[in-house]
């Protein structure tokens, strides 16, 4: 509980316990002392004001870097600005969009190049947040603003809503750290909008017994050769959509029938070796005839990588009942039904099984996976592997 008193430099200096002391008749100025794990007792100046009927708290600096006299000077300046209908929070303060762009820049250093994280941030913010609060000063964003952004998707698109709320929270935390605000308006969103629907949205997949039929439908379509070949290669190898689309000839060792996907295209951030079955090698033979074994294995008609939505569009237009990622789910189900150990199946999917160190996975597991991928290909094609 805050205590009202006339502060003095001596009192401020000698405070040794946590608490909040409001400086009597000094424009809402208060000294706040908090116990921290790293610095011990931390003292900072805050100011309570009311702007547009909304109570806000400003940070004015820490003691002793900011003295009592300086804190009083800053508090008076802010108080005067409010009386003149000027908002002290907006001085030299970025808009929400400008703040978000800075957060994205700071975080992007840890994101995998070419991954979907950057696109997801930019799309979610530009689609659901910027139209409402993008040009508003980050310190003036309110809980009601955030509710207005999230309410249209809170129950209809729960996974997207979670992502958007996470993005906004990161921006608010950045603003707090910069001293542009001292509260987090995202904390009341769940109260205002109610519980968000639980559960993970699974990618549509078909039973593994229907994968062969899907491949036949895809092959019979009028799609571009590289689109169909990339889909088959992705299915036989059980890799992610983007890994297959980005495959390059220099990554593939035909002598050892092994494809090494570089770390920057793997979700785990570690290079991943993929054993190539006879069916996968047959796809590569077809691709070689078109490309001459140079550059991209599955280039678009313009010579560039196939776009993100190419294989998804292929599935949708041919009404196969799944998305490209669903092939991985079908493969995993097949592994479970045929007795493939879970950690082998997980590793084949480029997952890191819990409790299994990546450094302990070597050639023996690669060859074990090779046998599994050959069995998978034989199951799909109905052919036998040559001796």
């Amino acid at each position: 509980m805050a205590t009202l008193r006339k502060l003095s430099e001596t009192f401020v200096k000698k405070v040794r316990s946590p608490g909040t002391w409001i400086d009597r008749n000094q424009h809402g100025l208060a000294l706040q002392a908090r116990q921290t794990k790293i610095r011990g007792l931390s003292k900072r100046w805050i100011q309570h004001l009311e702007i547009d009927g909304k109570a806000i708290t400003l940070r004015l600096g820490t003691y002793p870097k900011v003295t009592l006299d300086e804190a009083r000077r800053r508090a008076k300046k802010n108080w005067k600005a409010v009386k003149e209908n000027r908002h002290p929070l907006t001085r030299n303060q970025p808009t929400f969009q400008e703040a978000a762009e800075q957060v994205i820049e700071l975080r992007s250093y840890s994101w995998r190049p070419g991954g979907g994280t950057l696109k997801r941030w930019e799309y979610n913010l530009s689609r659901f947040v910027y139209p409402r609060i993008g040009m508003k000063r980050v310190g003036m964003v309110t809980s009601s603003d955030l509710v207005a952004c999230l309410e249209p998707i809170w129950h209809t698109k729960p996974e997207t809503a979670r992502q958007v709320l996470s993005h906004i929270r990161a921006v608010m935390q950045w603003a707090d750290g910069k001293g542009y605000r001292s509260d987090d308006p995202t904390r009341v969103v769940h109260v205002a909008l109610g519980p968000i629907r639980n559960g993970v949205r699974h990618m549509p997949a078909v039973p593994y017994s229907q994968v062969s039929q899907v491949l036949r439908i895809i092959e019979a379509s009028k799609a571009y050769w590289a689109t169909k070949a990339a889909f088959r290669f992705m299915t036989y190898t059980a890799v992610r959509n983007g890994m297959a689309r980005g495959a390059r000839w220099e990554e593939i060792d035909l002598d050892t029938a092994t494809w090494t996907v570089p770390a920057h295209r793997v979700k785990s951030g570690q290079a991943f070796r993929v054993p190539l079955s006879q069916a996968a090698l047959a796809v590569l033979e077809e691709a070689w005839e078109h490309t001459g074994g140079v550059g991209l294995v599955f280039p678009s008609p313009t010579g560039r990588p196939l776009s993100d939505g190419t294989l998804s569009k292929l599935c949708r237009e041919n009404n196969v009942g799944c998305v490209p990622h669903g092939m991985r789910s079908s493969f995993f189900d097949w592994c479970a039904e045929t007795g493939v150990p879970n950690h082998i199946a997980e590793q084949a999917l480029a997952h890191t099984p819990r409790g299994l160190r990546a450094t302990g996975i070597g050639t023996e597991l690669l060859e074990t996976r090779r046998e599994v991928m050959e069995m998978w290909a034989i199951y799909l094609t109905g052919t036998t592997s040559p001796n």
Side-chain angles (χ1 to χ4, degrees):
M1 182 178 294
T3 301
L4 184 66
R5 63 168 297 157
K6 185 174 179 61
L7 299 180
S8 66
E9 190 68 34
T10 300
F11 174 82
V12 173
K13 183 178 181 180
K14 291 186 175 181
V15 166
R16 292 291 183 269
S17 59
T20 300
W21 296 268
I22 300 174
D23 195 19
R24 181 180 288 118
N25 300 324
Q26 290 297 330
H27 312 108
L29 176 66
L31 173 70
Q32 188 176 70
R34 300 186 304 168
Q35 192 68 38
T36 66
K37 293 181 179 180
I38 299 176
R39 294 182 298 168
L41 191 70
S42 174
K43 303 175 186 178
R44 67 175 182 177
W45 300 106
I46 59 175
Q47 183 180 16
H48 300 295
L49 290 172
E50 184 175 298
I51 299 178
D52 293 337
K54 177 178 180 286
I56 65 170
T57 301
L58 304 181
R59 291 184 180 181
L60 305 184
T62 59
Y63 179 86
K65 185 176 182 179
V66 176
T67 64
L68 173 61
D69 288 341
E70 174 61 17
R72 284 172 171 167
R73 186 190 68 78
R74 296 182 183 184
K76 184 177 181 180
K77 185 176 181 180
N78 290 337
W79 177 83
K80 185 177 180 181
V82 172
K83 290 298 181 181
E84 296 173 354
N85 293 319
R86 293 183 290 111
H87 290 183
L89 281 171
T90 63
R91 293 198 310 270
N92 302 318
Q93 189 179 113
T95 63
F96 181 91
Q97 182 169 345
E98 291 170 339
E101 289 170 351
Q102 292 192 50
V103 171
I104 290 174
E105 183 178 359
L106 289 170
R107 294 195 168 204
S108 63
Y109 292 106
S110 63
W111 293 340
R112 179 168 57 88
T117 306
L118 176 59
K119 290 182 179 179
R120 184 164 59 251
W121 271 71
E122 291 177 339
Y123 173 80
N124 285 342
L125 290 174
S126 62
R127 174 70 176 83
F128 303 110
V129 183
Y130 292 161
R132 290 183 179 273
I133 63 172
M135 301 307 295
K136 195 167 187 176
R137 298 294 178 180
V138 69
M140 299 305 296
V141 173
T142 65
S143 297
S144 59
D145 290 329
L146 303 188
V147 169
C149 292
L150 292 164
E151 190 170 19
I153 59 173
W154 192 252
H155 297 295
T156 59
K157 299 180 179 179
E159 292 303 319
T160 300
R162 286 189 181 93
Q163 292 176 9
V164 174
L165 179 59
S166 176
H167 302 337
I168 295 173
R169 182 176 289 115
V171 177
M172 293 297 103
Q173 290 173 346
W174 176 89
D176 183 29
K178 289 290 185 178
Y180 295 135
R181 61 184 309 133
S182 59
D183 64 329
D184 180 3
T186 65
R187 289 184 298 179
V188 303
V189 168
H190 283 85
V191 177
L193 295 178
I196 196 168
R197 192 171 68 211
N198 292 322
V200 177
R201 180 177 63 86
H202 296 284
M203 298 291 187
V206 297
Y208 64 82
S209 61
Q210 296 179 19
V211 173
S212 295
Q213 181 181 356
V214 170
L215 291 175
R216 287 193 293 270
I217 294 173
I218 293 298
E219 193 57 28
S221 73
K222 296 180 180 180
Y224 183 59
W225 76 265
T227 303
K228 296 190 290 185
F231 187 89
R232 283 188 287 132
F233 188 71
M234 174 199 71
T235 303
Y236 293 143
T237 55
V239 299
R240 291 182 172 86
N241 182 341
M243 292 167 69
R245 290 185 292 100
R248 301 186 63 85
W249 284 109
E250 59 265 29
E251 300 166 0
I252 295 172
D253 186 341
L254 294 175
D255 292 334
T256 62
T258 304
W259 170 32
T260 302
V261 187
H264 70 272
R265 290 216 321 277
V266 183
K267 188 173 183 179
S268 66
Q270 298 179 341
F272 181 64
R273 290 187 295 171
V274 182
L276 300 173
S277 63
Q278 292 300 314
L281 290 171
V283 177
L284 294 179
E285 288 180 10
E286 176 190 343
W288 188 286
E289 295 177 0
H290 291 273
T291 65
V294 177
L296 290 164
V297 178
F298 308 109
S300 69
T302 62
R304 296 181 178 181
L306 296 170
S307 67
D308 288 351
T310 300
L311 300 190
S312 297
K313 181 181 178 183
L314 179 68
C315 291
R316 188 168 58 252
E317 289 182 342
N318 288 279
N319 195 29
V320 295
C322 67
V323 296
H325 196 85
M327 293 293 98
R328 288 164 57 82
S329 297
S330 299
F331 167 76
F332 191 77
D333 291 344
W334 172 84
C335 288
E337 289 288 337
T338 55
V340 175
N342 186 71
H343 72 280
I344 299 294
E346 292 276 13
Q347 181 64 12
L349 292 169
H351 293 164
T352 302
R354 188 173 297 177
L356 189 62
R357 294 185 52 171
T359 54
I361 300 176
T363 304
E364 183 180 358
L365 188 52
L366 175 66
E367 295 308 313
T368 301
R369 288 192 287 122
R370 188 182 300 281
E371 294 178 8
V372 171
M373 301 315 297
E374 194 64 57
M375 291 167 54
W376 169 241
I378 291 172
Y379 174 77
L380 295 179
T381 60
T383 61
T384 58
S385 177
N387 293 326

